[in-house]
Amino acid sequence: MILSSHFPVLIVVVPLFAAYLMPLCWRWKRGLTKPIAVTALALSFLMALNMAFQVLRSGPISYHAGNWQPPWGIEIYVDYLSVYMALVVTGVGLLILIYSTKYSEKMIEERNIAIFFALILLLIAGLTGMVVTGDLFNLFVFLEIASLASYALVPIAGSKGTKGRFEASFRYLYMGAIASTFTLIAIGFAYMATGTLNMADLALRLVEAREAYPTLVLMSLGFFVVGFSLKSALFPLHLWLPDAYAHAPAPVSALSSGLTIKVMAYVIIRLFYSIFGIAFVSSTGLLSMIQIIAALAIIIGSLYAIAQKDVIRILAYSSVSQIGYVILGATLLSSDGFTGGLLHILHHSIMKGTMILAVGAVMYKTGKRNIQDFKGMGRRMPYTMGAFSIAALSMVGIPPLTGFVSKWFLLLGTLEAKSYAFTFVILASSLLNAVYYLRLINYIHFKDPDEGSVRVDEAPLTMLIPIVILGLGAIFVGMMANIPLTLISKAVSSLGL
């Protein structure tokens, strides 16, 4: 038996099993809790890396759980797009988890630390499961694992958290429950129309089902779109997101912004291209409507960000804007636009992770996060704020950073699709991004701190290293974009663009 042949399922099982061990380790030998969590996620990342090379070398991997052949058995399916997402989830998630090992000592109550790491592992395992599963019902199962972990992580800071955290968590729970209900109904309609839940088999049977049961198929698609638009915080269904980010611990906000909403956008892409068929989705008129909604998300999210003074809320509304880029790129029906949208997933995961973790480091040192409190912070925390500033400039789209590359492809995509209104939207949004990000950079590097402000030094090394690695990722991915584009271009081609 070759162990690597089981990587498609082990990539999910390992962090799930480690999550189970967290409370046991905390009671038995506390010193093992954090190393086991980090080791489990590092193994998942290495397995994702190995599968990426396998997929590039030999094509997609189909793993049959229990040796039951699909569509009767559960299938794990790893293609170019899913392995790309698995690399993003496990790689960025690993750095955020390493950051959390030190952050949790001060910002999380001791009694909650074991459950904190258990929930993070459950969240990442759920997200990883969502991107590698080839079965709709298991997609729902992994969605619920990730969602329940997210709801519990928002208020986990306990007495050290901010007021209103439970209200934010319940609002997130209510909205998430509605989204889950829509998703389950959509799965039910799809099963009624086709009699299968295997994604590949479903895609084949939907061709006939669209003729026999057109209303069921259309309702299934509609319920899926609403459910995952809620989960991905696509405007105007984003209302849960700002409060959830504002009250959650920094690593949780980084996971949510950098990974969770991107995986939900991935599911929308997978539904459109691999299951229902992009030609059918386009023929319903839904695609044009989603393009308009995505464009509104890009502009309105940026406008809301400009109006904020709480740095975390600035970053939260920025995420509303950035998810619009991903969805717009994926629905332009152009290879360059789709490439830009997929690259923007990686770009935003790295950059938003950098900035939220940097803000978390400031909160770790000062307990403050208002924009006024960042005056002169660049001189007091030079490496942390240096990484923050690189990420902010990348979000604006300054060359040669990664944000420039993804936005360049998106612009080419709008021109290729002859959607010139969306070309204007992307250019205008970059100017809006510059307004609030350059304002932050101005406070950080060019304003003197107020008299009597708290003395601050650099972030602890365990927190600083992930911040710097992620910040440097803006430069590396921007200048070496051909590396992720190797997978992305094959993913785009395999989906018919």
Side-chain angles (χ1 to χ4, degrees), residues 84-368:
Y84 167 70
M85 291 300 301
L87 281 169
V88 174
V89 170
T90 55
V92 176
L94 175 60
L95 291 171
I96 294 172
L97 186 67
I98 292 170
Y99 172 98
S100 302
T101 58
K102 184 67 177 178
Y103 177 94
S104 62
E105 293 177 6
K106 181 177 179 181
M107 306 300 285
I108 307 294
E109 284 191 346
E110 186 177 5
R111 63 179 180 173
N112 291 333
I113 287 179
I115 194 67
F116 175 69
F117 283 100
L119 289 169
I120 286 180
L121 288 170
L122 284 173
L123 172 59
I124 295 173
L127 296 176
T128 308
M130 288 178 69
V131 303
V132 299
T133 186
D135 180 272
L136 269 187
F137 186 75
N138 283 284
L139 172 71
F140 179 76
V141 171
F142 287 123
L143 170 67
E144 288 304 285
I145 291 173
S147 297
L148 291 171
S150 296
Y151 307 149
L153 280 167
V154 170
I156 201 170
S159 62
K160 298 183 180 184
T162 55
K163 293 181 180 180
R165 62 190 181 279
F166 289 109
E167 291 87 343
S169 179
F170 276 114
R171 189 178 299 111
Y172 186 10
L173 171 61
Y174 295 150
M175 299 290 281
I178 293 170
S180 295
T181 302
F182 270 75
T183 302
L184 192 57
I185 292 172
I187 293 172
F189 283 149
Y191 185 75
M192 289 171 65
T194 62
T196 185
L197 291 173
N198 179 273
M199 292 182 184
D201 194 37
L202 184 66
L204 294 174
R205 296 194 188 190
L206 276 172
V207 176
E208 294 181 2
R210 288 199 294 267
E211 298 295 330
Y213 309 103
T215 304
L216 272 181
V217 173
L218 193 59
M219 288 178 68
S220 176
L221 175 61
F223 273 85
F224 268 126
V225 169
V226 174
F228 281 101
S229 293
L230 259 168
K231 289 287 188 180
S232 64
L234 181 64
F235 175 87
L237 303 177
H238 67 285
L239 301 179
W240 59 267
L241 183 140
D243 283 343
Y245 282 21
H247 294 93
V252 177
S253 297
L255 287 168
S256 296
S257 179
L259 302 180
T260 303
I261 63 175
K262 303 306 180 303
V263 171
M264 304 307 166
Y266 155 85
V267 175
I268 294 175
I269 293 169
R270 181 65 79 186
L271 288 166
F272 283 2
Y273 283 88
S274 299
I275 298 177
F276 287 93
I278 196 65
F280 169 71
V281 178
S282 181
S283 70
T284 65
L286 184 62
L287 209 61
S288 298
M289 183 177 70
I290 289 178
Q291 289 175 346
I292 294 170
I293 290 172
L296 288 172
I298 292 171
I299 297 298
I300 294 175
S302 297
L303 292 174
Y304 270 110
I306 291 172
Q308 306 303 310
K309 293 184 179 179
D310 182 320
V311 179
I312 290 291
R313 285 187 175 274
I314 292 174
L315 300 180
Y317 281 110
S318 170
S319 292
V320 174
S321 175
Q322 301 303 314
I323 202 68
Y325 285 108
V326 176
I327 299 298
L328 179 62
T331 56
L332 283 172
L333 300 184
S334 73
S335 58
D336 283 335
F338 200 1
T339 299
L342 294 180
L343 186 60
H344 206 76
I345 290 175
L346 174 61
H347 154 68
H348 186 250
S349 297
I350 294 173
M351 297 307 95
K352 194 54 65 68
T354 304
M355 290 189 285
I356 293 177
L357 296 186
V359 175
V362 174
M363 293 171 63
Y364 181 92
K365 288 290 185 177
T366 68
K368 299 178 180 180

Side-chain angles (χ1 to χ4, degrees), residues 350-351 354 387 390-391 401 466-478:
I350 294 173
M351 297 307 95
T354 304
I390 291 172
L401 304 175
I467 294 171
V468 171
I469 291 174
L470 286 169
L472 292 176
I475 302 172
F476 177 78
V477 177

Side-chain angles (χ1 to χ4, degrees), residues 10-21 40 44 121-122 125-126 142 145:
L10 287 175
I11 193 176
V12 181
V13 170
V14 169
L16 279 177
F17 183 67
Y20 169 77
L21 292 178
S44 285
L121 288 170
L122 284 173
F142 287 123
I145 291 173

Side-chain angles (χ1 to χ4, degrees), residues 18-41 97 101 104 110 112-119 121:
Y20 169 77
L21 292 178
M22 292 296 97
L24 299 178
C25 288
W26 190 255
R27 287 184 174 273
W28 173 55
K29 198 164 185 179
R30 295 188 176 187
L32 291 176
T33 306
K34 296 173 185 177
I36 288 175
V38 172
T39 301
L41 208 46
L97 186 67
T101 58
S104 62
E110 186 177 5
N112 291 333
I113 287 179
I115 194 67
F116 175 69
F117 283 100
L119 289 169
L121 288 170

